[in-house]
């Protein structure tokens, strides 16, 4: 498939195939057959051949192709981008089309255009990539290319569509071009990039920047490049201004133009987007300004960047090839509960495990702490089986398994040793498909071996060998995904079937017991897009039910592409169960369920959407809208808690109330011609987000019970201080923006209003409340103090409470607040700062807290440069006499 500028057209040339070589006996006949020209098809860029074009006489400057979905994105010279597919017409439609074309002397494309108005819907056509005779090579029956009367291009404008046109199909003639067929005069240079099965075709930069085609698209918004991501159903379109527009892939080329999902822009003047490339797993999209080409290497751990002149004659820069290494979360390859329990990173030749969960509390939140364990993968295995495709870690974090192109290996933290297949032939005959999971010391692997699809069980204590396989389970189709929930093994296969097994240990071995299976036909359209799977069992079934019946009552979680889906069971008969589908969210990168969370977080569902973590508390009790009798789909449900993040999350330390993640830092030196990248860990407290959810709903009891689980942490008071500070600032900002009194807050849809009194009542349940209030006040503007202390109480009263309770250090903090209020002549200051300071100094001296005494003396000196206040305080408190008596 290629495009031309003069004439403006796209052409299709089938891949030559030698179908007669096997039957031919003469060498010269073989040579003729192998080089036989089998023709090509041409479609001109006009309203006759392509009636869905908005503007005529444009040329294609870039083609992004996805073989998996058989679709393309064409970037045109007028700055628009189209989602297109080549369709094979059905037999009845082809016959009718041939009759129409013969009777009216129309071209084939005109016949296709007229057939769109007939009763035969275009949706009944089949994408040509599903036909073996078209995709790559022709079958014996065709003996050449398919006739143009049998295929047709259909498309929709996804970028640059006029706002007034909802459908993109326009009448004959379309929008006229002011420049007619004026085309760039210079020859073009074709470049080809490939990433796994996706192919792109690009014209050179000069033709891309050419503005010889008049267009009604704004210059900055004109498309320059596009890239398809079928895993997440996204199309990324780069523009002249350097911005990236993300669009959902249309359901069909005849669908209305999709709305832009997100626009990514850069604060600097970068120029137009020159190239983009998604990784093969769809998790990363790299785009560069001023480079010629990008290419992700297999495994998506390294990015090749080609820079230089790009063939432009006046640019003398030399071409350079850079290789940028990347680390990725093991969740991107396999979303299992254990992989989300630990921060577990993969690199090209090693894995990294976060060990901060085993460290003291302060070491976890200290960014300088080096708590990553680096484990090198054996070079002998990497050399024969690169790249690494799967990696998993056990529930206790002590066992690791890795699988590359072929075979598998596993590692024990206790011994520090890897175990490999001793027989290389057995290793090379094994391909892991569907992932790896650990059940205690037993490794469960979905594999392809001996022309069959299997799930095998290996023991960590035995050598890797076909003779030491503990159990084999055969499947009719390939395994797509494995997930282990307690002792229930969920196996999802390519025929859209979910199998439920119980892992049954015996005295001398272990086996899998099949409990049942269900088909997801009609629920999941493309099984290969399922990236994550788990389920939740009601408490009554856990306590009293038979585990073999879990599938009948389980709420199933699926991550299909970027959609987070819940399937709720519903009895449809004596022995039949139907599932109601509920789409919770879209554009979810990965998710996990905490089945045994703390308090409110039990059965909570966590999903990362690129901006933050969305939490649905107790996903078993999520209430959806009414169920449609025809579609059986609930309305979408807003998350309970949203936690914004400025780093990439890897894991949640539930018992420490912390989200663990990583971010990178670029280091440059004048003596080095390149940049260095460093990965360091980041943390974020999530406890105050959950507490705020309860308090905005007046659920003080639930909030106290949840907070009590974290009361032992050394940073618990800091967590409460963040909660109070967040609420104070949010209410003050809302009050300033709406000029509304605080008493009018608390309306539905504004969850953070009127929450401050409830938060103060909640804080009174903890001994740290006085310290939290003054800590928040000292970090807040004085303009907020009137609202805060109007609810908490007078600072003087709180100061007295601290003195009487022996909280002298906290009383010192309140003294600073009283001093600031006294300087501002605010109400609520019942005694002078000097008198309060003398009383606190006496208390500190009596308690022999000499550090606090020193701080008080320094404070008194700062309030009076003459020193009179300091001398009077020393005299009144009798501190000097007490010191002399000690000496």
């Amino acid at each position: 498939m290629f495009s031309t500028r003069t004439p403006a057209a796209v052409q299709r040339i089938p891949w030559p195939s030698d179908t007669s070589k096997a039957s031919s006996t003469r060498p010269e006949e073989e040579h003729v057959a192998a080089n036989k020209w089998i023709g090509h098809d041409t479609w001109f860029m006009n309203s006759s051949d392509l009636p869905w074009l908005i503007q005529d006489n444009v040329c294609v400057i870039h083609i992004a192709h996805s073989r998996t979905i058989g679709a393309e994105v064409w970037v045109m010279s007028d700055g628009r981008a189209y989602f297109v597919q080549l369709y094979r017409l059905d037999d009845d439609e082809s016959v009718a089309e041939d009759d129409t074309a013969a009777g009216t002397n129309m071209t084939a494309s005109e016949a296709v255009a007229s057939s769109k108005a007939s009763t035969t819907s275009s949706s009944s056509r089949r994408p040509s990539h599903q036909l073996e005779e078209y995709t790559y090579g022709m079958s014996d029956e065709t003996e050449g290319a398919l006739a143009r009367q049998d295929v047709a291009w259909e498309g929709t404008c996804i970028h640059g569509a006029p706002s007034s046109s909802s459908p993109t199909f326009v009448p004959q003639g379309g929008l006229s071009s002011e420049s007619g067929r004026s085309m760039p005069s210079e020859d073009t240079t074709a470049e080809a990039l490939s990433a796994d099965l996706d192919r792109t075709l690009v014209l050179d930069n000069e033709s891309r920047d050419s503005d010889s085609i008049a267009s009604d698209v704004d210059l900055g918004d004109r498309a320059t490049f596009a890239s398809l991501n079928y895993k997440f159903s996204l199309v990324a379109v780069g523009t002249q201004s350097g911005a990236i527009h993300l669009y959902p892939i249309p359901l069909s080329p005849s669908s209305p133009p999709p709305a832009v999902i997100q626009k990514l822009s850069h604060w600097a003047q970068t120029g137009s987007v020159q190239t983009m490339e998604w990784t093969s797993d769809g998790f990363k999209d790299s785009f560069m300004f001023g480079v010629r080409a990008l290419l992700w290497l297999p495994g998506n751990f390294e990015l090749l960047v080609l820079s230089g002149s790009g063939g432009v004659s006046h640019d003398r820069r030399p071409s350079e090839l850079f290789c940028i290494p990347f680390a990725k979360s093991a969740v991107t390859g396999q979303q299992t509960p254990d992989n989300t329990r630990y921060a577990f990173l993969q690199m090209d030749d090693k894995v990294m495990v976060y060990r901060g969960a085993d460290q003291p509390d302060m070491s976890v939140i200290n960014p300088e702490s080096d708590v990553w364990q680096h484990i090198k993968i054996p070079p002998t295995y990497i050399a024969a089986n690169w790249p690494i495709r799967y990696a998993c870690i056990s529930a206790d974090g002590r066992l690791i398994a890795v699988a590359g192109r072929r075979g598998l290996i596993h590692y024990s933290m206790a011994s520090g040793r890897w175990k490999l297949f001793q027989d290389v032939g057995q290793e090379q005959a094994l391909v892991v498909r569907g992932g790896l999971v650990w059940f205690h010391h037993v490794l469960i692997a979905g594999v392809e071996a001996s022309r069959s699809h299997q799930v095998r069980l290996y023991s960590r204590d035995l050598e890797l060998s076909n003779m030491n396989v503990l159990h084999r389970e055969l499947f009719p189709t390939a395994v797509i995904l494995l997930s282990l929930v307690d002792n229930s093994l969920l196996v999802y296969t390519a025929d859209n079937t979910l199998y439920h097994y119980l892992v049954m240990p015996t005295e001398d071995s272990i086996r899998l017991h099949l409990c049942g299976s269900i088909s997801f036909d009609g629920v999941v359209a493309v099984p290969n897009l399922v990236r994550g799977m788990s389920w939740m069992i009601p408490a009554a079934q856990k306590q009293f039910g038979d585990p073999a019946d879990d599938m009948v009552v389980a709420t199933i979680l699926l991550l299909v592409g970027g959609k987070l889906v819940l399937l709720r069971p519903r009895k449809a008969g004596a022995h039949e169960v139907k599932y109601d589908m509920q789409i919770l969210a879209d554009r979810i990168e990965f998710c996990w369920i905490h089945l045994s969370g703390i308090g409110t977080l039990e059965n909570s569902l966590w999903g990362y959407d690129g901006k933050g973590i969305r939490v649905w508390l107790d996903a078993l009790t999520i209430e959806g809208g009414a169920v449609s009798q025809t579609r059986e789909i609930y309305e979408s449900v807003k998350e309970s808690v949203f936690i914004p993040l400025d780093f990439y999350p890897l894991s949640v330390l539930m018992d420490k109330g912390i989200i663990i993640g990583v971010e990178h830092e670029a280091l440059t030196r004048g003596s080095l011609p390149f940049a260095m990248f460093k990965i360091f860990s980041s943390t974020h407290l999530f406890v105050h987000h959950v507490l705020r959810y309860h308090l905005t709903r007046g659920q003080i009891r639930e909030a106290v019970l949840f907070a009590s689980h974290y009361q032992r942490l050394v940073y618990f008071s800091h967590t409460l201080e963040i909660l109070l500070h967040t609420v104070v600032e949010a209410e003050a900002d809302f009050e300033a923006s709406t000029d509304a009194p605080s008493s009018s807050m608390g309306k539905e849809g504004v969850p953070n209003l009127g929450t401050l009194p409830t938060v103060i009542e909640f804080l009174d349940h903890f001994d740290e409340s006085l310290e939290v209030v003054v800590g928040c006040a000292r970090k807040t503007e004085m303009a907020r103090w009137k609202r805060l202390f109007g609810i908490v109480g007078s600072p003087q009263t709180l100061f007295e409470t601290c003195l009487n309770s022996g909280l002298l250090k906290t009383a010192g903090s309140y003294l600073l607040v009283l001093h600031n209020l006294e300087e501002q002549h605010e109400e609520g200051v019942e005694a002078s700062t000097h008198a309060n300071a003398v009383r606190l100094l006496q208390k500190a001296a009596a308690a022999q807290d000499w550090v606090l005494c020193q701080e008080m003396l320094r404070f008194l000196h700062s309030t009076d440069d003459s020193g009179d206040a300091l001398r009077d305080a020393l005299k009144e408190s009798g501190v000097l006499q007490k010191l002399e008596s000690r000496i």
Side-chain angles (χ1 to χ4, degrees):
M1 186 73 194
F2 64 94
S3 65
T4 59
R5 180 191 298 139
T6 306
V10 290
Q11 296 190 5
R12 179 181 67 122
I13 300 179
W15 190 262
S17 61
D18 184 8
T19 59
S20 59
K21 185 174 182 179
S23 59
S24 177
T25 57
R26 299 175 59 184
E28 58 271 19
E29 292 180 1
E30 295 179 4
H31 176 76
V32 172
N35 293 273
K36 181 180 178 181
W37 174 251
I38 57 178
H40 67 277
D41 295 326
T42 302
W43 289 266
F44 293 100
M45 293 294 164
N46 54 44
S47 58
S48 177
D49 281 9
L50 303 173
W52 38 264
L53 285 177
I54 293 178
Q55 184 168 346
D56 280 354
N57 300 325
V58 293
C59 61
V60 180
I61 63 173
H62 167 71
I63 298 177
H65 173 65
S66 174
R67 181 180 178 183
T68 307
I69 62 175
E72 300 174 0
V73 174
W74 293 357
V75 178
M76 316 299 285
S77 56
D78 63 352
R80 291 185 171 89
Y82 294 84
F83 176 81
V84 300
Q85 272 185 308
L86 186 63
Y87 275 81
R88 173 79 182 274
L89 306 181
D90 290 337
D91 295 337
D92 295 340
E93 188 174 356
S94 299
V95 172
E97 183 179 321
D98 293 341
D99 295 341
T100 304
T104 60
N105 199 24
M106 291 191 298
T107 63
S109 58
E110 289 172 342
V112 171
S114 64
S115 68
K116 291 173 183 172
S118 66
T119 57
T120 304
S121 172
S122 60
S123 61
S124 64
R125 302 168 184 173
R126 291 168 293 172
S128 57
H129 78 290
Q130 297 177 0
L131 306 174
E132 181 184 355
E133 59 265 25
Y134 163 74
T135 307
Y136 287 97
M138 301 294 138
S139 64
D140 297 336
E141 291 80 3
T142 59
E143 296 183 358
L146 293 172
R148 262 194 55 181
Q149 288 83 354
D150 294 335
V151 293
W153 287 105
E154 287 196 5
T156 183
C157 183
I158 61 174
H159 180 81
S163 57
S164 60
S165 63
S166 66
T168 56
F169 294 104
V170 298
Q172 294 288 335
L175 298 177
S176 62
S177 172
E178 297 177 2
S179 58
R181 287 187 175 270
S182 175
M183 296 293 171
S185 58
E186 297 185 11
D187 293 334
T188 61
T189 303
E191 298 177 352
L193 295 176
S194 63
D196 294 338
L197 297 178
D198 290 347
R199 270 72 173 171
T200 59
L201 179 69
V202 210
L203 296 182
D204 66 0
N205 296 334
E206 290 186 3
S207 64
R208 187 182 307 170
D209 297 333
S210 175
D211 196 26
S212 60
I213 297 295
S215 175
D216 56 349
V217 181
D218 292 340
L219 182 61
D221 287 336
R222 294 186 183 181
T224 59
F225 208 90
S227 185
L228 277 165
N229 181 350
Y230 82 93
K231 283 281 189 180
F232 289 88
S233 299
L234 290 176
V235 179
V237 178
T239 61
Q240 287 278 3
S241 64
I244 307 294
H245 297 254
L246 296 180
Y247 296 93
I249 292 180
L251 296 177
S252 68
S254 59
S255 302
V260 62
I261 294 177
Q262 190 174 357
K263 180 179 179 181
L264 309 175
S265 57
H266 199 270
W267 59 269
Q269 295 295 329
T270 57
S272 62
V273 176
Q274 301 295 311
T275 181
M276 294 185 295
E277 197 72 31
W278 291 98
T279 56
S280 59
D281 56 18
F283 278 88
K284 298 185 287 293
D285 181 23
S286 56
F287 54 93
M288 296 284 180
F289 309 97
V291 302
R292 294 176 57 188
L294 298 172
L295 178 64
W296 286 100
L297 293 182
N300 305 312
F301 296 107
E302 293 177 312
L303 175 66
L304 293 182
V305 179
L306 179 63
S307 67
S309 62
V312 182
S313 58
H314 56 78
D315 195 337
R316 302 300 181 185
R317 292 177 300 166
S319 296
E320 296 178 305
L321 185 64
F322 297 90
C323 183
I324 304 176
F326 282 79
K328 68 178 184 180
S329 171
V331 177
T332 61
Q334 183 181 1
Q335 300 209 31
T336 61
D338 291 338
N339 277 5
T340 57
R341 187 174 287 111
Y342 291 88
F344 187 32
L345 290 176
Q346 294 175 241
M347 298 190 72
D348 201 35
D349 59 348
K350 63 183 176 182
V351 294
M352 299 166 59
V353 184
Y354 180 80
R355 295 300 182 190
D358 304 328
Q359 304 298 321
D361 296 341
M362 293 306 296
S363 298
V364 177
I365 62 176
N366 182 9
E368 301 299 327
S369 300
D370 186 11
V371 289
W372 288 93
Q373 180 180 4
H374 299 248
I375 304 172
K376 279 281 189 180
I377 300 175
T380 54
Y381 182 79
I382 285 287
N385 301 287
W386 178 88
I388 299 300
R389 292 179 174 174
Y390 296 98
C392 75
I393 191 169
S394 61
D396 59 2
R398 300 300 175 186
L399 299 175
I400 291 174
V402 168
R405 186 173 55 86
R406 291 185 177 275
L408 59 89
I409 57 176
H410 49 75
Y411 177 85
S412 172
M413 301 288 181
S415 64
R417 296 179 55 189
W418 288 93
K419 281 192 176 180
L420 296 80
F421 276 93
Q422 298 300 316
D423 188 337
V424 179
Q426 293 183 7
E427 176 186 84
Q428 294 302 303
L430 179 72
V431 178
V432 174
R433 303 284 191 203
L436 308 162
V437 291
W438 285 99
F439 179 78
H440 300 300
H441 70 287
V442 176
L443 177 63
I444 305 175
V447 303
E448 289 183 4
S450 304
R451 298 183 178 180
S452 63
H453 309 288
Q454 309 175 16
V455 167
R456 290 185 177 182
L457 276 61
Y458 296 92
S459 172
R460 167 62 198 177
D461 302 328
L462 302 177
E463 296 296 329
L464 278 175
S465 169
N466 291 343
M467 299 296 295
N468 294 330
V469 176
L470 303 179
H471 182 83
R472 287 182 178 87
E473 194 75 20
L474 299 179
F475 294 87
T477 56
V479 176
I480 292 180
L481 201 60
L482 296 178
S483 183
L484 187 66
V485 183
D486 295 329
N487 67 330
S488 292
L489 177 65
L490 307 180
V491 182
Y492 182 67
T493 58
D495 59 355
N496 220 353
T497 302
L498 174 63
Y499 296 87
H500 173 214
Y501 289 89
L502 285 180
V503 184
M504 309 285 290
T506 60
E507 293 183 0
D508 54 353
S509 184
I510 191 171
R511 64 184 182 87
L512 298 179
H513 172 69
L514 177 63
C515 298
S517 63
I518 56 175
S519 174
F520 285 156
D521 289 342
V523 177
V524 178
V526 184
N528 284 328
L529 291 184
V530 177
R531 301 186 294 110
M533 175 181 59
S534 186
W535 70 15
M536 295 172 287
I537 308 297
Q541 173 67 17
K542 282 184 179 180
Q543 187 173 1
F544 305 108
D546 185 353
D549 298 331
D550 286 352
M551 178 172 285
V552 180
V553 297
T555 297
I556 299 175
L557 170 73
L558 294 177
L559 186 58
V560 185
K563 288 182 171 57
L564 187 58
V565 180
L566 280 184
L567 299 179
R568 301 175 177 279
R570 176 162 51 93
K571 284 283 187 180
H575 302 285
E576 184 180 359
V577 177
K578 286 188 176 181
Y579 287 88
D580 298 323
M581 180 187 297
Q582 183 172 12
I583 300 178
L584 294 183
D586 199 1
R587 292 190 297 154
I588 297 296
E589 188 167 328
F590 60 87
C591 66
W592 60 92
I593 294 179
H594 285 287
L595 298 176
S596 56
I598 294 176
T600 308
L601 299 180
E602 185 176 358
N603 286 326
S604 60
L605 176 58
W606 302 57
Y608 177 65
D609 66 356
K611 296 181 180 179
I613 291 182
R614 305 169 67 175
V615 184
W616 290 266
L617 299 177
D618 196 355
L620 275 174
T621 61
I622 292 178
E623 296 182 1
V627 182
S628 170
Q629 295 299 324
T630 56
R631 299 184 59 195
E632 298 180 354
I633 298 178
Y634 283 101
E635 297 175 358
S636 61
V637 177
K638 182 177 175 58
E639 68 276 3
S640 308
V641 179
F642 179 75
I643 306 174
L645 297 175
D646 55 2
F647 57 85
Y648 189 86
L650 296 175
S651 178
V652 176
L653 303 183
M654 189 64 66
D655 58 335
K656 296 182 182 295
I658 286 178
I659 299 172
I660 296 295
V662 291
E663 52 186 325
H664 75 277
E665 181 181 28
L667 304 176
T668 58
R669 294 181 179 177
S671 58
L672 298 177
F674 54 85
M676 296 179 292
F677 296 92
K678 177 184 177 182
I679 296 177
F680 59 94
S681 57
S682 296
T683 59
H684 184 89
L685 294 170
F686 68 80
V687 176
H688 63 283
H689 293 283
V690 181
L691 291 175
R692 189 179 178 188
Y693 166 80
H694 286 302
L695 296 175
T696 53
R697 287 154 181 80
Q699 301 171 354
I700 297 179
R701 180 177 178 275
E702 290 80 356
V704 172
L705 290 175
F706 178 73
S708 62
H709 294 286
Y710 298 96
Q711 199 169 359
R712 59 178 175 77
L713 299 175
V714 296
Y715 44 81
F716 177 68
S717 60
H718 177 64
T719 301
L720 299 181
E721 186 178 317
I722 294 176
L723 169 66
L724 180 60
H725 183 269
T726 302
V727 173
V728 169
E729 292 293 328
E731 293 194 3
D733 292 342
F734 179 82
E735 205 173 340
S737 62
T738 61
D739 295 329
S742 302
S743 58
S744 65
M745 300 176 186
K747 294 181 179 180
E748 186 69 17
V750 190
N752 61 337
L753 304 181
T755 312
L756 187 55
T758 309
V759 173
I760 299 302
E761 183 181 352
F762 159 76
L763 292 176
D764 289 339
H765 289 78
F766 301 96
D767 297 335
E768 297 88 351
S769 59
L770 292 171
E771 178 186 352
V772 169
V773 171
V774 72
C776 174
R778 295 186 61 185
K779 296 178 178 64
T780 307
E781 297 179 12
M782 288 188 61
R784 317 281 203 247
W785 287 7
K786 183 177 182 179
R787 164 75 171 155
L788 175 62
F789 289 111
I791 299 175
V792 179
S794 168
Q796 183 67 44
T797 303
L798 300 177
F799 174 78
E800 298 290 346
T801 303
C802 291
L803 283 182
N804 297 331
S805 303
L807 303 175
L808 302 183
K809 187 174 182 180
T810 305
S813 299
Y814 277 105
L815 184 63
L816 296 176
V817 172
L818 290 170
H819 175 66
N820 290 329
L821 291 176
E822 185 180 22
E823 288 185 340
Q824 298 294 326
H825 305 287
E826 294 285 345
E827 298 179 359
V829 183
E830 302 173 0
S832 67
T833 302
H834 180 78
N836 288 327
V838 171
R839 295 169 58 201
L840 180 57
L841 188 59
Q842 290 175 337
K843 290 277 188 179
Q848 296 186 0
D849 190 345
W850 306 116
V851 175
L852 180 59
C853 290
Q854 182 182 5
E855 293 178 355
M856 292 302 304
L857 297 177
R858 187 182 297 113
F859 166 73
L860 290 169
H861 177 69
S862 65
T863 60
D864 182 11
D865 295 337
S866 64
D868 294 337
L870 178 59
R871 283 190 291 270
D872 293 342
L874 289 173
K875 183 178 180 181
E876 295 177 18
S877 62
V879 173
L880 292 179
Q881 292 83 348
K882 294 180 180 179
L883 288 175
E884 290 175 357
S885 63
R886 289 190 61 192
I887 296 174

